[in-house]
Amino acid sequence: MPATDQLLVARIGKPHGLRGEVTVQAHTDDPERRFVPGVVFTTEAPAGSGVPRSLTLSTARLHQKVWLLGFDQIPDRTGAEGLRGTRLFVALGDVIDEVDDDEDGWYEDELVGLAVVNTAGATLGEVAGLETGVAQDLLVVTLASGRQALVPFVDEIVPEVDVEAGRVVIDPPPGLLELADE
């Protein structure tokens, strides 16, 4: 597992084509700056998967709104298939200035595990993840019932994120959390 001085920037999806490219789910709001050939990513993959501990980016391109990445160590589709689910990290020192400049931005690693409370302070659950989307991001919240709810990560519904206090305040519209029970 990567050290705490690492930040998640992407998760690898399926292979694309025959030359070792893969699709990725970007976990960064600035992929053009992160996905530059020559960048070395630290990897996190299941033990015994054969995924190298680091991958050097050789190609990066946007194809139909999906990022496709190629790596020096992965020459073909067979190798790319083995990367599925691998998470890519960069050193915190490489992005610390950008994090300081973006007061309203959070990385998934900062949010997971935070308590989710309503505006009255009642605990509703815990942040389990962040799904990035084209139009908006969604907080994945594990409710007290054990079910998961998707909460649009917009100011109107998530008015406060306090990482230091360990909580996220949400003001969900009526019925939003009940959708998880259906």
Side-chain angles (χ1 to χ4, degrees):
M1 181 150 202
T4 56
D5 61 345
Q6 300 282 316
L7 290 174
L8 176 67
V9 294
R11 186 180 56 77
I12 296 177
K14 63 184 181 178
H16 180 85
L18 301 174
R19 296 197 173 122
E21 283 185 314
V22 293
T23 62
V24 295
Q25 177 185 22
H27 291 281
T28 176
D29 57 355
D30 196 0
E32 289 85 6
R33 187 178 291 179
R34 295 283 163 258
F35 303 147
V36 177
V39 170
V40 177
F41 295 106
T42 301
T43 63
E44 179 182 274
S49 66
V51 173
R53 291 182 187 259
S54 65
L55 290 170
T56 305
L57 189 64
S58 60
T59 63
R61 63 189 176 105
L62 200 54
H63 176 69
Q64 297 179 355
K65 299 183 181 180
V66 175
W67 280 97
L68 300 176
L69 305 182
F71 303 98
D72 289 345
Q73 298 86 346
I74 309 299
D76 56 27
R77 185 178 182 93
T78 302
E81 183 65 46
L83 296 177
R84 201 182 280 244
T86 298
R87 297 180 347 147
L88 302 175
F89 293 83
V90 294
L92 179 61
D94 295 344
V95 294
I96 193 70
D97 293 335
E98 295 164 38
V99 172
D100 290 343
D101 291 344
D102 187 4
E103 295 175 7
D104 291 331
W106 294 274
Y107 290 96
E108 182 178 24
D109 291 354
E110 294 175 294
L111 300 170
V112 171
L114 296 181
V116 176
V117 300
N118 65 17
T119 54
T123 301
L124 303 173
E126 182 177 290
V127 176
L130 177 67
E131 290 187 11
T132 56
V134 175
Q136 69 187 23
D137 295 341
L138 298 168
L139 280 178
V140 180
V141 177
T142 301
L143 301 171
S145 67
R147 297 194 182 235
Q148 289 194 331
L150 297 176
V151 176
F153 200 2
V154 295
D155 289 337
E156 295 79 16
I157 299 174
V158 184
E160 181 183 343
V161 175
D162 190 341
V163 175
E164 280 134 24
R167 71 183 193 145
V168 174
V169 177
I170 67 171
D171 188 11
L176 178 67
L177 299 180
E178 288 75 18
L179 289 173
D181 293 329
E182 294 179 1

